[in-house]
Amino acid sequence: MGAARTSGGAGGGRRRAVPWLVLGLWIAVLAIASPFASRLSDVQRDRAVDYLPASADSTRVARIQDRLPGGEATETVVVYHRDAGLTAADKATAADQIAEIAGAHRLTDRPAGIPSKDGTTLVYPVASTEPGQDEEARNALVNAIRDVAEGGDGLSVEVGGAGALATDAAEVYNSLDGPLLYTTAAVVALLLILIYRSPFLWLVPLAVAGIADYLSMGVAYGLNQGLGTSVSGQSTGIMTILVFGVGTDYALLLISRYREELRRVERPHDAMAAALRGCGPAVLASSGTVAAGLLCLLAADLNSSRGMGPLGTVGVLCALAAMLTLLPALLVLLGRRVFWPLVPRHGSTPKTRGSLFTAMGGSAERRPRAVLAGGAVLLGALALGSFNLPGSLKQEDSFTTRPEAIAAMETLAAAYPERGTQPVTVIAPTDRADAALAEARGTRGVKSAERGRSGGGWTELTVLASAPPQSAAETATIDALRDTLDGSYVGGPSAQQIDLEDTNARDTVIVVPLVLLSVLLILIVLLRSLVAPLILVAAVVAVWGAALGIGGLVFGPLFGFEGTDPGLGLLSFVFLVALGVDYGIFLMHRMREESLHGAEPTRAALTALRTTGGVIASAGLVLAATFAVLTNMPMVQLVELGFVIAVGVLLDTFLVRTYLVTSASVALRRRVWWPGRLSRAPEEPAPAGEREPVGV
């Protein structure tokens, strides 16, 4: 007896030491990751050309420009405008300021002013090779030009052009990190307080999510340095959202199961071990599904999409590691008192009361086919709204605010409606430069073409279209130049936008089937069925269509957006399918568990809904709220993506996953598990007194 007691005490001591060991390991990991996490913003690239594949024409133009004398030019325009018409003093001021800029910086040529026909506007194209590829130097150049080019007394002066637009975009993306993190943390904190109704408990998962986010930044920097993974403001923002959203979901599941085990088990570390055994496999499976879906983005040709796959996966895996190791360790160390004032006492039973999900299960049980038909009609009607989505998003419409570069473009568009104001860059072989120049000038829609720098066997041509930037007519001119100029490459901001749309279209055709196939295979292996995975996948596709349709109904009429980001369809599909199936796993896994324990099909479906509905609803609210944080950001692309995913998660949580999938399971009964063994009715036991044949 004494030996047994001593052994048990030693074993208990070792178990109690485990949380402290885990805590020490995390401190060591964070110390290693800290120098790398702080440098992630240094490798962030947000130029349009950085998003494009290496094979795109506009990317090749930018790369060749880097090798020309002076490197890639930063192109800006300084716009002087007075509503009543420019005075002689205004023109003199403009000339003096441009001369000061030319004297202080290395420009490609002497700027010449171009007056508008109505006399209200004077524009000076200013291009410099001074910064080269250095983004900080480019931003410094643009800001230096803005410091000199100042108006007053009715004279407005605005600096626009591709270089100024890139600087304004970089400032917006660089300003996202702090507000995005703080807003996300505040939203998650508020929801956790409401869910747990405890003044202390919410701090634990929130702090662990913050630590996981910091670790993911260090790992993302390592991927960039080791594998060349592209990092953009959009991908790092999404990574933070995933860490807090998915990580909090896993915390909700674990803490819910831990609270349940504390009522059955006396010691907190034993209760946590039981909780991890109970919900750990489902959390691992769901995170694996999300990671597999995100990694399908590696097949994309677009750099921004391809880079988002690994960064999103890093966020999910860091959240998983933190929530399955650090969170349990902290909860065990804090003991039962962390749940105060609703402390789960050993041997107590929770209060039972009716719930929304019990009512949902009742209607699904009574009229499953009617519920399915009504849900299908509703989702189909909402999906029709996607036909109302505005066209492709132009650069000048990509900000929710109005930075100076956009104001300059609007002034130019109003003052020079008859001509283009944004040059198209052509890179031609030097031995064909004269012929290419003649062909460009003869192309329909070209207003002017001039020869530029030469070097390394290439010559730069500056072409000005007669149509406004990013209009249908200018797009036709760029397409005509690409068809006409054999051996030459056509680039510039408008060409980059065309390549962006074309690449997104190709990526969608490749990535969408990969995501569907990978998720379907994982579900088949996990659920040991073919019908149930098909139901889950069909459900998330329906949710995606409905969420896009709702976006089409509000983006233009309500939000006033002039266009839709070309990558919205693909990225929203990947996230909604991966995250939606995540919740489906929790529901169907519990349904399968109930069936294995002998529950008849309808009872198994309703029990699964009643027991997991509350946790799924809480997790869905948190995830939707974290993505909704993006709608407060100053970039239209982020607002649209955050809105569609948040709406899709809410539809999935409160309609499709909990209501329609349960109704489908009730209607199909055992057939939902076909062709697995659960699809077959259990054998009837032999009648009493009747002997089964015995084989010899």
Side-chain angles (χ1 to χ4, degrees), residues 26-197:
W26 269 96
I27 292 174
V29 167
L30 290 177
I32 295 172
S34 182
F36 305 106
S38 59
R39 300 173 64 182
L40 182 62
S41 59
D42 297 339
V43 297
Q44 183 175 304
R45 298 290 180 266
D46 291 302
R47 296 184 307 167
V49 71
D50 294 320
Y51 282 47
L52 293 168
S55 59
D57 255 27
S58 52
T59 307
R60 291 175 174 173
V61 167
R63 298 291 179 259
I64 294 173
Q65 281 183 315
D66 292 339
R67 300 195 298 270
L68 292 176
E72 183 183 3
T74 296
E75 297 176 344
T76 62
V77 290
V78 184
V79 183
Y80 295 87
H81 175 82
R82 185 184 290 274
D83 292 337
L86 294 172
T87 64
D90 294 337
K91 296 175 183 178
T93 298
D96 292 342
Q97 291 180 354
I98 296 299
E100 183 179 348
I101 293 170
H105 303 283
R106 186 175 67 249
L107 306 185
T108 57
D109 51 25
R110 184 75 179 181
I114 304 172
S116 64
K117 289 183 177 180
D118 60 6
T120 62
T121 309
L122 180 64
V123 59
Y124 282 89
V126 177
S128 172
T129 58
E130 189 175 281
Q133 292 180 268
D134 190 335
E135 289 193 28
E136 291 186 7
R138 179 206 64 200
N139 297 340
L141 171 66
V142 171
N143 290 328
I145 294 174
R146 285 174 170 168
D147 289 340
V148 174
E150 294 182 347
D153 194 24
L155 174 66
S156 67
V157 184
E158 298 159 339
V159 178
L165 188 63
T167 296
D168 289 342
E171 289 180 358
V172 169
Y173 275 116
N174 290 336
S175 68
L176 291 182
D177 294 342
L180 183 63
L181 176 62
Y182 304 145
T183 308
T184 303
V187 168
V188 171
L190 177 61
L191 289 174
L192 288 177
I193 291 172
L194 294 175
I195 292 169
Y196 289 134
R197 291 171 290 170

Side-chain angles (χ1 to χ4, degrees), residues 537-561:
V537 170
V540 292
V541 172
V543 166
W544 171 69
L548 272 183
I550 294 174
L553 296 176
V554 302
F555 284 165
L558 187 60
F559 294 170
F561 294 159

